[in-house]
Amino acid sequence: MSARIRLAETREDICRCYEVVFELRPHLKPEPFVEQVLRQQSQGYRLAFLEEGGKVQACAGYRFSESLSWGRYLYVDDLITASTARSRGFGGELLQWLQAEARAAGCAEFHLDSGVQRFGAHRFYLRERMDIIAHHFALKL
C-alpha cells in the first residue's frame, strides 16, 4: 500500500481535497463540500487522496456495496487527478490502490461511471484494462 495515499477523515483533510475534486465537480463550493462529504461518510462514502510534495495531487471518492448483479463490489464515485499533475502516474497509482482495497474487502468486482464527454479518462480506464460494460441512464427529477 502506498504511504502517499490515505483517507480524508478530518475536516482539514477533506478541505485539502476540495481543489482537486472541484476540477471534476465544479458546482461544489468549499464549505458545503466538506459538509456533504461528512454526510456521505456517515453512509459509507470514503475519500482517499494521494499527496506528494505536501500537496494533494489526486482524489478518489468510493464506497462498498452489494447487488444481485455484481455481488460485493467497490464503486468509485469520483476519481480525479489535478490538471497540473496529470501524466505523472498518480491516477494509475490511486486506481491500483483502490483495486487493492476492493480485493482486501472481499469484493468480486470494481466499478465506476465516467461522463460520455471525458475522452481522456476513457482512454486511461481502457489502458488500465477496464471494460465498458453498460450504458448508464439518468432522469433529473
Side-chain angles (χ1 to χ4, degrees):
M1 183 181 299
S2 172
R4 306 190 309 169
I5 299 173
R6 61 189 176 96
L7 293 177
E9 297 177 309
T10 66
R11 285 180 168 275
E12 179 184 353
D13 283 342
I14 294 167
C15 191
R16 291 182 65 225
C17 294
Y18 173 75
E19 284 186 37
V20 175
V21 174
F22 179 76
E23 291 188 35
L24 180 65
R25 310 280 184 228
H27 63 282
L28 297 173
K29 303 292 182 234
E31 187 56 34
F33 166 74
V34 172
E35 297 306 317
Q36 184 166 350
V37 168
L38 289 169
R39 274 193 317 277
Q40 287 181 209
Q41 283 177 332
S42 72
Q43 302 165 20
Y45 179 83
R46 298 175 187 193
L47 181 60
F49 64 98
L50 183 152
E51 183 176 25
E52 183 181 82
K55 185 171 173 152
V56 174
Q57 304 290 350
C59 296
Y62 66 100
R63 63 188 74 238
F64 295 99
S65 193
E66 192 167 358
S67 70
L68 295 175
S69 58
W70 300 332
R72 182 158 171 76
Y73 64 94
L74 184 149
Y75 181 82
V76 179
D77 293 82
D78 317 286
L79 180 60
I80 318 102
T81 298
S83 58
T84 57
R86 295 207 177 113
S87 298
R88 294 174 52 193
F90 298 138
E93 186 176 342
L94 193 49
L95 192 66
Q96 294 303 314
W97 183 89
L98 289 164
Q99 291 171 8
E101 288 287 294
R103 286 184 193 97
C107 292
E109 299 203 17
F110 179 91
H111 289 263
L112 62 80
D113 288 326
S114 181
V116 295
Q117 78 286 2
R118 301 192 66 232
F119 303 115
H122 302 164
R123 284 190 297 275
F124 169 71
Y125 299 137
L126 292 169
R127 201 170 47 244
E128 292 293 323
R129 301 177 320 135
M130 296 188 77
D131 296 320
I132 300 169
I133 62 162
H135 292 283
H136 179 99
F137 294 90
L139 176 67
K140 290 200 185 273
L141 302 175

